Amino acid sequence: MIHSFIAHTSPGRSRVFSLVKGPGDELEAVTTLGAGELHLTGELVSALNCFLYDRDDHALGEVLDRVPKAVRMAVQQYLKVKCAPVMGAFTECGPVEVVREAVFFGQIDEELEEYLEGAYMIGLGIRMSNQRQRDGGVGWVIRLLNDEVSVPASAEPRTWAIPEGAKLVRTWTSNQNADSAGPVRGALQVAADATDQDRWVRVHTLLHSRYDVDFEGSGTSESVVDVFDAPIPLKQRGE
């Protein structure tokens, strides 16, 4: 996934790169600005980074209209081939980072609930899924993100993409919760019930805005539970 765009400027040129996050961080060359366009370096990099978040072709196009055709074509081709949108990857403040990777719990219990409640209360994003242990038991793997991603008021409450080919049985959100269980406990109850039926389950949190325009940072934090028409996946070796 492309994390951000950066530039290295020398007296005669600016080289624009993308920082790609994966198993190992990598730099990929995007384009080069010549001596006559060095003054546009900052604007181009800023527009590219904004594009990662808002996918605003118009704003980026205003900058690309001011660079040579070869630069414009190189950027457009790179974005077309390498820069597919990634759901839940960015907020208006920048990329969403994993701050705690792959924490494992053996069951849904008070300890797990307290862990998630703590993360939820301080605004960390939560992603959690069940998996079948090699001894036949079921465990839960949790990743914590440095922020909750916002979605517009009218958008589907989702910031974690459904895997290709996966079939949903149901999606539950905490705004459907009519009792006093709360977003975390309510989600855990749904997850536990589905797990008892040997269903693959994923849980994540998001900020559901009250607005469709300028929706970042104002809304209701919600839990989302996806129940799939698939058995609980087997834990992979090395996890």
Side-chain angles (χ1 to χ4, degrees), residues 21-231:
K21 292 281 189 177
D25 296 346
E26 297 179 357
L27 287 177
E28 291 186 350
V30 178
T31 192
T32 300
L33 296 170
E37 298 81 42
L38 289 184
H39 63 288
L40 295 175
T41 301
E43 287 184 66
L44 178 57
V45 170
S46 178
L48 285 167
N49 283 318
C50 287
F51 177 80
L52 285 175
Y53 162 65
D54 58 22
R55 300 287 157 169
D56 187 348
D57 289 312
H58 178 72
L60 177 60
E62 289 183 346
V63 181
L64 293 180
D65 285 343
R66 297 158 59 199
V67 301
K69 181 179 179 181
V71 173
R72 180 169 63 252
M73 292 179 63
V75 170
Q76 291 171 338
Q77 180 65 15
Y78 184 87
L79 295 179
K80 179 180 178 181
V81 174
K82 298 282 189 142
C83 197
V86 180
M87 180 178 285
F90 294 89
T91 72
E92 64 178 353
C93 297
V96 176
E97 306 277 3
V98 176
V99 295
R100 192 71 186 273
E101 182 80 40
V103 178
F104 295 93
F105 284 85
Q107 59 185 332
I108 292 179
D109 56 13
E110 184 176 336
E111 181 184 9
L112 173 54
E113 183 176 340
E114 289 180 355
Y115 182 83
L116 295 182
E117 284 282 7
Y120 185 82
M121 289 298 292
I122 62 175
L124 297 181
I126 296 169
R127 290 189 174 186
M128 166 178 159
S129 59
N130 59 359
Q131 55 184 214
R132 180 72 63 185
Q133 308 298 309
R134 301 209 171 264
D135 62 4
V138 175
W140 295 87
V141 59
I142 301 168
R143 289 174 174 82
L144 299 182
L145 312 177
N146 67 339
D147 203 356
E148 287 184 334
V149 179
S150 297
V151 296
S154 62
E156 178 187 13
R158 176 175 306 286
T159 60
W160 196 1
I162 300 298
E164 185 176 353
K167 182 179 179 182
L168 279 171
V169 173
R170 66 177 294 211
T171 294
W172 176 95
T173 64
S174 55
N175 70 352
Q176 302 171 2
N177 190 10
D179 57 33
S180 59
V184 172
R185 179 170 294 179
L188 291 178
Q189 289 174 348
V190 174
D193 291 343
T195 299
D196 288 342
Q197 300 172 26
D198 195 34
R199 300 281 193 184
W200 177 26
V201 179
R202 296 197 319 183
V203 181
H204 76 283
T205 57
L206 53 83
L207 187 67
H208 204 162
S209 179
R210 294 189 291 270
Y211 311 105
D212 278 329
V213 179
D214 296 328
F215 58 86
E216 281 285 346
S218 179
T220 303
S221 186
E222 297 180 9
S223 295
V224 179
V225 183
D226 289 322
V227 180
F228 295 96
D229 185 17

